[in-house]
Amino acid sequence: MSAPGYPGSPNQAPYPMAHHGGQMVAPYPSGPGGYGDPQAPPPGFNMNYDQGQPPVVMYQPGPAPGPEYGGHPGAISPAPLSGPGNVPVGVPPGLEYLTQVDQILIHQKVELLEAFIGFETNNQYEIKNSLGQKIYKAKEKNDCCTRNCCGSLRSFDMKIKDNMDREVMRLIRPFRCVSCWCPCCLQEMEVQAPPGTTIGYIKQDWHPFLPRFSIQGANKETCLKLEGPCLACNCCGDVNFELKGKDNDKPIGRISKQWSGLLKEVFTDTDNFGIQFPLDMDVKMKAVLLGACFLIDFMFFEKVGEANQRSTVFS
C-alpha cells in the first residue's frame, strides 16, 4: 500500500518513508496484524449524524486480543481518564469503552436447534465496534417454559459481559402486554450497570399506530425519545427507529434493524442492528440505548416456532 501524499498539489512528495536494509518501509503497519483502515464503514450501517471525525477506537480494554480481533495488543486505545486514581468520572465500571464510540453493532448468533426444529433457545448476541471487533457479549437468561410458551413477550434477565467475561450490565424485562388498546401495561425494561445499580429505563409510550419509547434515567426522568415506523417490517431494507431529544423532533441518532439477507430473514430470527448516538452522550444513556435495541428486537423481530414477527404496535 503506497503512503498517502501531503494535502495540496498532486505533485508533492509523499510522507517520508523509513529505510531498513536499504529498502523503503512504510512508517505504519498494514495488512494482517496492522491497524487496518480506520475509515472503513461498518457493513450495512452508514449514517451521517456525527459532526466531526471521532477518535479511532481499536479494542475493548481487557486481555491481550487474539488474531480474531485484528492485531497487536499495543494498539489498545484506552478510554479517556480523569479524577482521582485515573478512574473515569461517572462511568460505570466496564463501560469505559463506550465513551470512545458513537456507534455500535449488534449481531445475533445463529442457534441451530432453533433454526432446524423451531425450539426456542436463549438468544445470544455479539456487540461490536464499527471495525467489527467484539467488545461485549450478551445472553438471555430464563427457563424453557417461559421461552416457548410466552414467545416474544417473555420476561428475561440478560447479562452483558466484557472480553474478560466480567458482567458489566444487566437488562431486566418483566412480562408485559403487547396491545395498544391496553396503555396501562406497556413494554418496559430496566438497565443496571453494574448489576444491582439501576442507571435507566426504557418505557413504551402509548400510541395507536407508531412504536414510541421513552429513554429514562435512574429516577425515571425522560431524557430521550425513540420513534419507529408504523410498519416495522424490513422487506429488503433497513428499519430505522429515530433517536430524538425529549423536547424536539430533530434526530440525533438512531437504532437500525439491518437487512440480513433473504435466507436469514426467512428461515431464522438472527438479527443485525446498528446503534448510532452522539459521541459526547452520557455513557449511561448509551448503555440504556443498548438495552432499548434488545427490547425492540424482542417486540418486533423475534419469531418463535412458526409464528410470524410482529410488525406494528398491534398484537
Side-chain angles (χ1 to χ4, degrees):
M1 186 174 89
S2 61
Y6 287 109
S9 169
N11 296 322
Q12 286 180 300
Y15 287 113
M17 306 288 282
H19 290 266
H20 181 71
Q23 294 184 348
M24 301 286 281
V25 188
Y28 301 108
S30 61
Y35 293 109
D37 181 7
Q39 301 299 327
F45 189 59
N46 183 16
M47 320 233 296
N48 295 309
Y49 286 115
D50 56 310
Q51 300 300 317
Q53 180 66 31
V56 177
V57 179
M58 297 304 296
Y59 301 105
Q60 161 73 346
E68 68 272 20
Y69 296 139
H72 193 275
I76 292 178
S77 175
L81 301 178
S82 59
N86 287 334
V87 176
V89 175
V91 177
L95 300 187
E96 297 88 352
Y97 187 78
L98 293 182
T99 63
Q100 304 180 83
V101 295
D102 63 353
Q103 63 177 271
I104 50 180
L105 308 174
I106 297 97
H107 295 162
Q108 185 175 353
K109 298 176 71 173
V110 177
E111 300 293 338
L112 297 179
L113 190 64
E114 197 173 306
F116 285 108
I117 67 174
F119 183 85
E120 188 68 18
T121 58
N122 283 320
N123 286 359
Q124 299 185 62
Y125 303 84
E126 289 185 343
I127 302 165
K128 303 179 180 181
N129 63 15
S130 61
L131 300 180
Q133 299 157 340
K134 186 171 72 172
I135 55 177
Y136 298 109
K137 57 185 177 182
K139 185 174 182 180
E140 171 191 2
K141 182 181 179 181
N142 53 23
D143 58 80
C144 176
C145 181
T146 299
R147 291 193 305 273
N148 289 278
C149 295
C150 298
S152 62
L153 300 178
R154 60 187 182 263
S155 61
F156 60 78
D157 287 1
M158 183 172 290
K159 296 183 177 181
I160 298 179
K161 298 183 178 181
D162 63 12
N163 288 334
M164 295 181 69
D165 206 39
R166 299 175 299 191
E167 185 178 358
V168 297
M169 284 179 60
R170 183 172 297 173
L171 311 178
I172 301 173
R173 183 202 186 191
F175 180 86
R176 286 292 185 269
C177 178
V178 296
S179 176
C180 70
W181 305 118
C182 186
C184 62
C185 193
L186 297 176
Q187 297 292 310
E188 66 177 58
M189 178 182 283
E190 179 183 350
V191 181
Q192 298 179 352
T197 302
T198 300
I199 61 170
Y201 299 86
I202 306 102
K203 291 200 172 183
Q204 182 185 8
D205 297 330
W206 185 88
H207 193 279
F209 306 111
L210 297 176
R212 288 183 172 177
F213 301 88
S214 290
I215 307 300
Q216 302 180 337
N219 296 320
K220 296 191 175 181
E221 73 281 8
T222 298
C223 302
L224 299 165
K225 295 281 189 177
L226 266 177
E227 182 176 314
C230 181
L231 186 64
C233 179
N234 59 334
C235 297
C236 302
D238 296 350
V239 180
N240 297 320
F241 291 75
E242 300 292 343
L243 177 65
K244 304 176 181 179
K246 64 176 182 178
D247 297 322
N248 60 68
D249 291 330
K250 182 180 179 181
I252 60 173
R254 67 174 54 160
I255 295 177
S256 293
K257 165 65 173 70
Q258 300 170 349
W259 174 250
S260 302
L262 184 62
L263 292 179
K264 278 191 175 181
E265 295 288 344
V266 172
F267 295 105
T268 73
D269 65 350
T270 54
D271 300 318
N272 295 326
F273 285 86
I275 309 176
Q276 183 148 356
F277 35 66
L279 182 64
D280 59 353
M281 177 180 284
D282 182 354
V283 69
K284 294 179 181 179
M285 288 297 99
K286 292 182 181 182
V288 177
L289 283 174
L290 179 59
C293 182
F294 291 117
L295 180 60
I296 287 171
D297 183 28
F298 276 86
M299 286 183 63
F300 299 104
F301 304 105
E302 178 75 3
K303 293 189 291 185
V304 179
E306 299 299 323
N308 292 325
Q309 66 186 27
R310 291 179 61 223
S311 58
T312 69
V313 294
F314 293 95
S315 57

